Amino acid sequence: MYVIGKREFISLFKGIKSIIIVVMLLVTSYYSAKFSNLFSSGIELTAREAENIHTAGLLILILLFGQLFITSLSHDSINRETHERTIRFLVTRTSRTSIIIGKFFGIWLFWFICLTTSFLLTSIFSQKIDVFIFSQTMSLLTYQIALTILLSVLISKPGFTMFLGIVLAVVFPIFGFWAAYTSNGWVSWTKFVTPYYYLIREDYSFLVIVLLAGILLVIANLIFKRREC
């Protein structure tokens, strides 16, 4: 599990797409924090919003494009191994559960470092790091990583997971926020199984997002155990 996670983690830093995404996160963090006072001067904000305006650009970027970023880098984390037949070597060395967990933590650690670096960058201007907002954001990324792994287990063709991941990355945030705010009884119940409902709350209910991510991983593991290599 450790070796698989380490390999996944290192491989994420080697690709050009990874470098571009990391640069986008850092540039967005820097400039949104640098010009946050300018933006806030023309907008009426609550005390809480004004206090955390430095992270606004980064949070918007992750809310809108986080799933797209994760999908573009890790959509084939599992089905690539199956497609290239390397999965047969892995299952002789370790369990399938260890493969799923190792892949997950390798990807999770990559995004944890990216998010931590971005928040440290904004702290230069804000003089603090809001642990609550950091934890909320990391919980969303955790859910999105688990969802990406589940898709990679469900779909055997890497090219199709990339296409479906892009569609999902566009539609899911729109639907998630709509479900969180709509009063439509046919749709509003779905807010409880999407992460966005828990993100808009000012309490620790975002921990439910981590629980949902765990459920996605359990489902992915059960399916993976029953799949032929």
Side-chain angles (χ1 to χ4, degrees), residues 6-191:
K6 180 181 178 181
R7 188 185 69 169
E8 192 72 21
F9 172 74
I10 293 174
S11 67
L12 284 172
F13 278 103
K14 291 182 178 180
I16 185 65
K17 288 190 295 185
S18 302
I19 295 173
I20 293 173
I21 290 174
V22 170
V23 170
M24 285 178 62
L25 289 173
L26 295 179
V27 169
T28 301
S29 300
Y30 176 78
Y31 282 103
S32 65
K34 183 176 181 180
F35 297 108
S36 59
N37 293 329
L38 179 63
F39 296 147
S40 62
S41 62
I43 306 174
E44 186 176 347
L45 301 172
T46 64
R48 174 69 174 170
E49 291 171 340
E51 184 181 2
N52 298 302
I53 189 64
H54 298 86
T55 59
L58 175 63
L59 297 180
I60 291 172
L61 184 68
I62 292 176
L63 281 172
L64 296 181
F65 302 107
Q67 185 68 62
L68 181 61
F69 292 158
I70 293 172
T71 297
S72 65
L73 297 181
S74 304
H75 68 95
D76 58 351
S77 59
I78 301 296
N79 57 23
R80 179 184 67 246
E81 305 287 359
T82 305
H83 185 71
E84 296 176 355
R85 303 297 183 183
T86 53
I87 193 67
R88 295 183 177 180
F89 171 77
L90 291 177
V91 296
T92 61
R93 299 286 181 173
T94 187
S95 67
R96 298 193 181 208
T97 300
S98 295
I99 295 173
I100 293 289
I101 296 175
K103 292 280 187 178
F104 170 78
F105 278 110
I107 300 169
W108 185 90
L109 185 59
F110 169 82
W111 285 102
F112 177 80
I113 290 176
C114 290
L115 189 64
T116 301
T117 305
S118 299
F119 267 77
L120 288 174
L121 194 58
T122 61
S123 70
I124 296 174
F125 300 93
S126 63
Q127 302 299 311
K128 72 182 183 80
I129 295 179
D130 193 311
V131 178
F132 179 78
I133 292 180
F134 175 87
S135 301
Q136 278 188 311
T137 310
M138 198 64 227
S139 70
L140 176 62
L141 291 175
T142 301
Y143 178 94
Q144 292 170 336
I145 293 167
L147 180 60
T148 301
I149 288 178
L150 176 59
L151 288 176
S152 191
V153 170
L154 287 172
I155 302 170
S156 59
K157 295 182 180 180
F160 192 62
T161 48
M162 183 62 189
F163 170 76
L164 183 61
I166 292 174
V167 173
L168 187 66
V170 173
V171 174
F172 196 46
I174 298 173
F175 176 79
F177 281 113
W178 176 54
Y181 287 104
T182 186
S183 57
N184 188 321
W186 294 98
V187 178
S188 62
W189 66 270
T190 60
K191 67 185 178 184

Side-chain angles (χ1 to χ4, degrees), residues 200-213:
I200 62 178
R201 298 168 62 91
E202 294 293 332
D203 54 29
Y204 286 88
S205 59
F206 70 86
L207 294 174
V208 177
I209 301 174
V210 180
L211 176 61
L212 293 174

